[in-house]
Amino acid sequence: MVLLAPSKACWVSQERWDTLNTEQKGTFANICPDFVIELRSSSDKLESLQAKMKEYIDNGAKLGWLLDPQPRRVEIYRPDSAVEVLENPDSLSGDKVLPGFVLNLRRVWG
């Protein structure tokens, strides 16, 4: 299940999605995504987005990307790991969470 918002995308594995009942699937499900992407806008405070990414990981997300287009910087969040910072990468890989998924950042950076 993929959910999109203007500055966010997330993914929940089919296995976890299938644990929800019909009513939960028909509303905003109270489930932490396995994978989340946050795209920082010019009005977003970096610290609040970093706190949100940490909260996702603390609640069960397996992978999180915080994309900051202005400096072309990516922060990668994983459980039990320090935040990995990449400067101006061309692409990102979904690792073991989303094998085969690659995000081309050249289009994001513009």
Side-chain angles (χ1 to χ4, degrees):
M1 167 60 83
V2 176
L3 303 173
L4 300 172
S7 62
K8 178 188 318 186
C10 61
W11 175 79
V12 176
S13 69
Q14 189 67 51
E15 179 182 344
R16 290 185 62 230
W17 182 253
D18 289 344
T19 65
L20 301 174
N21 63 38
T22 304
E23 182 180 339
Q24 291 169 318
K25 290 178 183 179
T27 63
F28 185 80
N30 190 16
I31 187 170
C32 181
D34 293 279
F35 170 62
V36 64
I37 301 172
E38 287 278 351
L39 177 62
R40 183 180 182 203
S41 71
S42 59
S43 63
D44 288 327
K45 300 280 187 222
L46 181 59
E47 297 80 14
S48 65
L49 291 177
Q50 290 169 325
K52 187 187 295 187
M53 296 301 290
K54 184 177 179 334
E55 185 176 352
Y56 281 124
I57 297 300
D58 290 347
N59 283 292
K62 297 174 185 164
L63 180 63
W65 296 339
L66 174 53
L67 310 179
D68 195 347
Q70 203 58 280
R72 295 184 177 196
R73 175 183 160 126
V74 175
E75 295 181 9
I76 302 173
Y77 293 77
R78 296 180 184 94
D80 303 319
S81 297
V83 176
E84 180 181 356
V85 177
L86 303 176
E87 303 292 341
N88 199 25
D90 288 332
S91 64
L92 294 171
S93 166
D95 294 336
K96 297 174 185 173
V97 177
L98 281 172
F101 175 73
V102 176
L103 177 63
N104 179 349
L105 288 170
R106 287 174 280 180
R107 298 182 77 173
V108 174
W109 302 148

